[in-house]
Amino acid sequence: MRKTLGYMYGKWNRWLFTQVDNTALVLFRMLFGLLIACEAFGSIALGAVNKLFIEPDFTFTFIGFEFLEPLPGNWMYVLYALMGVAGLLVMVGYKYRMALLFYAISWAYVYLMQKSSYNNHCYLLMLLNFLMLLLPANRSASLDALWNPSFRKEHMSRWIYIFIISFLGIIYAYASVAKFYPDWLDGSFPKYLMSTRGRNFDILQQDWVHQAILYFGLFFDLLIVPFLLWKKTRWIAVVASVFFHVFNSVVFQIGIFPYLALSFLLFFFSTEVLHKRFLKKKSYYAAAEVLVPKTKNLIVFSGTVFLLAMLLLPLRHWIIEDDVLWTEEGHRLSWRMMLRSRAGSGVYYIVEKDTGKKTAVPLEYYLSPKQQRSVQSKPDFIWQFAQELKEIYAEEGKEIEVYADLKVSINGRIRKQFTDPKIDLTKEEWSHFKHHKWILPSSLYKENKPLKN
């Protein structure tokens, strides 16, 4: 028994801690640094900083992070400029951990402070910032290694490959599984998506294109990681990846994220090929030593906990009442990408408790156009806006009740009543893991059929 356990223990150590050449991680660091710099500088140049932080009177934070506020004046521009510089430092590997720590904290700050432009890609970038901070990506082909030769290493533990590929597998798997719902499977949502987001491309309005998007999107996410791992299908998967992500970039204009996804292809090619093609001057490592660090248990425990969290968090909507497509409860942080379109309309009412006076809320007085769209269709925004109105009136010495009479359309359907207009939202509590009774029951797949283009 002891011999068996000792054999398994040694095999486990060899599997995780055999040293491999680190060319893939080094190249990924260079691309990652360049892309996050582009994200920061691009946010300034394209007006995102102004639209999200300067223009609005307040931002909708992730619930629980209400203490986060934008920097005063034009200091948000300065922050993003410094983030861009930090990204370039990551790319060249100078003061790598200090630069990436600054970027990681700054990105978490701006991500958690506003969710008006939320998507899963921003969530992915926040996670990657902290993960890359922990990886030895600056040990070679970096200024840190150039100016401190004793710091240089041309190898890394195999567990880094295993961890990154496992993480990618989880993301893509959930992206595929989430598409197994009626509006995707009958082609109505791909058709609706192309009629809105792809309306500038005539070819995307063809029925055969909608069918192609249906099946390609479904099976790409499901099979891309296995196909990349298998040498015989790797180049098929690479071509499919380039097509898929460039298509998303052109049609949906989602910034750096298609190119970030393509950067992960580096981890599926042999290190010999990558070294020969891109880093010839770097020494190649082939010794395959087994170096078990003193922090082995911490590495295994932390990596396992992280991957388990990534596996379990997207499942939470199954324990919440009703359909996540309607309620949106459990939608965030779940890799539910390009799955639905929401639109809402309606009125918020304020009732002053001392006088009973009832007035409609002029949304344009409090909110930017983008925020107005969100508070009419997304439940966490609806609840937060009610709390914000309560605080605004409390500063004037008034106690109020807030009611929302809102109708929502999912994927182009006829708008249906979403909120209970008789419930005072200021008295409601928010829960990340429970259904909120002021959200009315869904009838998505009953009489409520999708609209035709």
Side-chain angles (χ1 to χ4, degrees), residues 102-396:
F102 172 78
Y103 196 103
I105 293 173
S106 299
W107 183 263
Y109 161 66
V110 299
Y111 171 77
L112 296 170
M113 181 171 55
Q114 72 79 29
K115 58 187 178 186
S116 295
S117 64
Y118 168 87
N119 59 47
N120 282 281
H121 305 120
C122 297
Y123 170 48
L124 172 62
L125 185 54
M126 183 178 71
L127 295 177
L128 283 177
N129 286 332
F130 288 104
L131 292 176
M132 286 294 290
L133 184 63
L134 301 174
L135 300 181
N138 63 326
R139 285 298 187 103
S140 181
S142 68
L143 293 180
D144 288 339
L146 177 65
W147 294 338
N148 183 8
S150 64
F151 178 74
R152 181 182 300 157
K153 283 186 180 179
E154 309 297 349
H155 56 87
M156 65 183 188
S157 294
R158 184 189 285 148
W159 71 261
I160 294 174
Y161 266 102
I162 297 168
F163 178 82
I164 291 173
I165 292 173
S166 299
F167 183 35
L168 282 179
I170 291 170
I171 294 171
Y172 277 116
Y174 274 119
S176 176
V177 169
K179 291 182 174 68
F180 283 86
Y181 82 103
D183 287 9
W184 188 277
L185 296 176
D186 67 12
S188 60
F189 180 66
K191 182 176 183 178
Y192 180 76
L193 185 64
M194 292 304 104
S195 72
T196 53
R197 301 290 294 275
R199 60 183 176 274
N200 294 326
F201 302 90
D202 291 338
I203 191 173
L204 298 183
Q205 311 314 315
Q206 304 296 316
D207 287 339
W208 69 267
V209 174
H210 305 150
Q211 290 298 307
I213 292 172
L214 188 168
Y215 291 107
F216 188 84
L218 197 68
F219 290 108
F220 175 85
D221 289 334
L222 186 64
L223 299 174
I224 187 60
V225 171
F227 272 42
L228 284 169
L229 287 170
W230 192 25
K231 190 174 181 179
K232 291 183 178 180
T233 55
R234 184 168 298 146
W235 276 106
I236 296 173
V238 169
V239 172
S241 293
V242 171
F243 173 79
F244 178 81
H245 292 297
V246 172
F247 177 89
N248 286 343
S249 178
V250 172
V251 175
F252 302 121
Q253 299 179 9
I254 47 179
I256 69 167
F257 301 104
Y259 307 100
L260 180 60
L262 288 173
S263 300
F264 282 106
L265 293 176
L266 291 165
F267 294 100
F268 295 91
F269 284 95
S270 72
T271 53
E272 293 94 334
V273 172
L274 294 176
H275 178 264
K276 184 177 179 181
R277 295 282 178 87
F278 302 108
L279 287 177
K280 290 182 180 180
K281 294 183 179 181
K282 173 186 175 295
S283 298
Y284 184 74
Y285 176 85
E289 303 164 280
V290 179
L291 302 176
V292 181
K294 294 181 180 179
T295 55
K296 181 195 77 169
N297 292 336
L298 178 61
I299 291 171
V300 173
F301 176 77
S302 302
T304 302
V305 168
F306 177 83
L307 292 176
L308 280 175
M310 294 299 101
L311 276 170
L312 296 176
L313 197 58
L315 297 176
R316 70 192 188 281
H317 73 87
W318 290 106
I319 64 172
I320 300 175
E321 184 182 333
D322 213 330
D323 189 340
V324 62
L325 190 67
W326 172 254
T327 67
E328 200 89 345
E329 296 163 319
H331 173 81
R332 299 187 193 277
L333 316 184
S334 298
W335 314 118
R336 298 175 58 81
M337 296 176 275
M338 291 293 176
L339 279 178
R340 56 92 178 98
S341 174
R342 298 179 71 90
S345 61
V347 183
Y348 284 80
Y349 292 101
I350 288 174
V351 176
E352 297 183 28
K353 289 185 177 181
D354 56 346
T355 64
K357 181 182 178 182
K358 181 179 180 179
T359 55
V361 178
L363 297 183
E364 65 277 5
Y365 180 78
Y366 298 98
L367 306 171
S368 70
K370 191 175 184 70
Q371 290 175 328
Q372 290 177 48
R373 292 191 293 271
S374 294
V375 300
Q376 294 181 88
S377 64
K378 298 176 181 177
D380 50 345
F381 281 84
I382 294 168
W383 180 84
Q384 282 179 289
F385 185 49
Q387 311 315 310
E388 181 68 22
L389 289 171
K390 179 182 177 181
E391 291 182 11
I392 290 173
Y393 275 79
E395 291 175 359
E396 300 175 3

Side-chain angles (χ1 to χ4, degrees), residues 26-39:
V26 169
L27 288 171
F28 182 79
R29 183 209 77 221
M30 295 175 182
L31 292 174
F32 181 73
L34 176 61
L35 289 170
I36 63 176
C38 290
E39 174 67 23

